[in-house]
Amino acid sequence: MFNTSEIAIFRRAGLSPVFFGETMIGSRMPNLTYMLTFENMAAHDKAWAAFSADPDWRKLSNTPGYTDSEIVTNISNIFLRPTAYSQI
């Protein structure tokens, strides 16, 4: 999904991707992790609402092979704040 059209939908909705990574070792495989940036929680909520309502996302997420029940077993959210010495 990310390779075909999801990143474009992210950007259109105001979601700013920083990083995408696949787990290589561990009990949570397969696993996709990605990092997004937001100015604050209001911007987070607004962008995710726009993403969820996007017609292209709705079509993509209902495409056989891409439905949540076929590809998602768990979703975790972690909110981070950079430290003073962070390069990001």
Side-chain angles (χ1 to χ4, degrees):
M1 292 170 77
F2 283 101
N3 292 336
T4 58
S5 59
E6 194 166 1
I7 293 173
I9 300 168
F10 265 32
R11 290 189 172 124
R12 187 168 58 239
L15 299 169
S16 301
V18 175
F19 171 83
F20 294 89
E22 294 181 61
T23 299
M24 296 177 59
I25 299 171
S27 62
R28 294 188 174 202
M29 291 180 59
N31 182 323
L32 173 67
T33 298
Y34 55 89
M35 179 183 285
L36 307 170
T37 63
F38 302 97
E39 288 294 320
N40 52 45
M41 287 304 290
H44 164 273
D45 295 345
K46 180 180 177 183
W48 276 113
F51 177 78
S52 297
D54 186 284
D56 290 338
W57 166 246
R58 290 185 177 265
K59 181 179 177 184
L60 181 63
S61 65
N62 286 301
T63 301
Y66 290 139
T67 65
D68 279 356
S69 63
E70 294 173 280
I71 63 171
V72 176
T73 57
N74 183 33
I75 296 174
S76 301
N77 292 316
I78 300 171
F79 296 92
L80 305 170
R81 180 179 336 175
T83 60
Y85 49 86
S86 174
Q87 292 115 0
I88 296 177

